[in-house]
Every structure is written in structure tokens, then in C-alpha cells.
């Protein structure tokens, strides 16, 4: 039950992050809570709604609600760039 609450919060965080940062509507298709003695992260995978070829992986730290390790398919990189963003440039 505790893991389900962690997964639910991580999904909300990741979906909102991708919406705010890249204007993407995404769905989460897989999740895994890593053992707490290793890290406090939930690994998520998903895709842009209606575009399964535009898929990604992202992790969310359930203690801080911060996202990290955002990996994306070449098709998703192209879609993000088409919106005027470069996912490989860190903003200060």
C-alpha cells in the first residue's frame, strides 16, 4: 500500500514536470519503486499520449519530488525540438 502511494505521487510529479517544461501530455505505462536501502526513487516509463514511438524514462525522488534521469527516444527529442525546446541544454 505504501508503494502505491509513492507511485501515485511520482506519476503526478513526472506528468506535471513534462507538461510544464515541454508542453507534453504524457501517460505512464510502467513503474518500479527501487528498494529504500538503495535510493528513494521511483522509476517511470511512458509515452506521449497517442504517440507510443515518443517514449521516455524518468525517475522521481519520492522524498524531494525532484525528477532526474530523463531519457527519451529520438522521436521524442524531435517532438520536443519542434516545440522550440532543446532538452539537452540546462537552463540556469
Amino acid at each position: 500500500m505504501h508503494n502505491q502511494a509513492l507511485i501515485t505521487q511520482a506519476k503526478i510529479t513526472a506528468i506535471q514536470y513534462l507538461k510544464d517544461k515541454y508542453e507534453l501530455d504524457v501517460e505512464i505505462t510502467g513503474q518500479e519503486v527501487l528498494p529504500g536501502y538503495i535510493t528513494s526513487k521511483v522509476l517511470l516509463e511512458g509515452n506521449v499520449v497517442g504517440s507510443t514511438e515518443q517514449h521516455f524514462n524518468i525517475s522521481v525522488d519520492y522524498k524531494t519530488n525532484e525528477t532526474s534521469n530523463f531519457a527519451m527516444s529520438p522521436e521524442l527529442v524531435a517532438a520536443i525540438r519542434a516545440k522550440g525546446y532543446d532538452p539537452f541544454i540546462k537552463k540556469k
Side-chain angles (χ1 to χ4, degrees):
M1 187 64 159
H2 177 66
N3 277 359
Q4 189 56 50
L6 298 177
I7 289 168
T8 298
Q9 184 56 47
K11 285 180 177 181
I12 292 167
T13 299
I15 289 168
Q16 192 62 50
Y17 169 80
L18 294 169
K19 179 75 168 172
D20 293 346
K21 184 137 179 125
Y22 301 115
E23 301 176 43
L24 296 172
D25 290 318
V26 301
E27 58 189 351
I28 304 300
T29 58
Q31 63 273 326
E32 177 184 2
V33 178
L34 295 178
Y37 64 88
I38 295 175
T39 187
S40 57
K41 292 191 177 181
V42 178
L43 304 180
L44 301 169
E45 61 184 48
N47 56 268
V48 172
V49 174
S51 300
T52 56
E53 71 281 352
Q54 295 178 13
H55 54 90
F56 63 89
N57 294 331
I58 193 167
S59 61
V60 177
D61 186 312
Y62 55 78
K63 290 184 180 177
T64 64
N65 258 358
E66 293 179 347
T67 60
S68 61
N69 304 320
F70 181 41
M72 60 210 117
S73 67
E75 294 83 2
L76 183 52
V77 172
I80 290 172
R81 285 185 172 152
K83 291 179 176 275
Y85 302 102
D86 190 330
F88 300 111
I89 295 178
K90 293 204 180 236
K91 301 218 179 198
K92 294 180 180 182

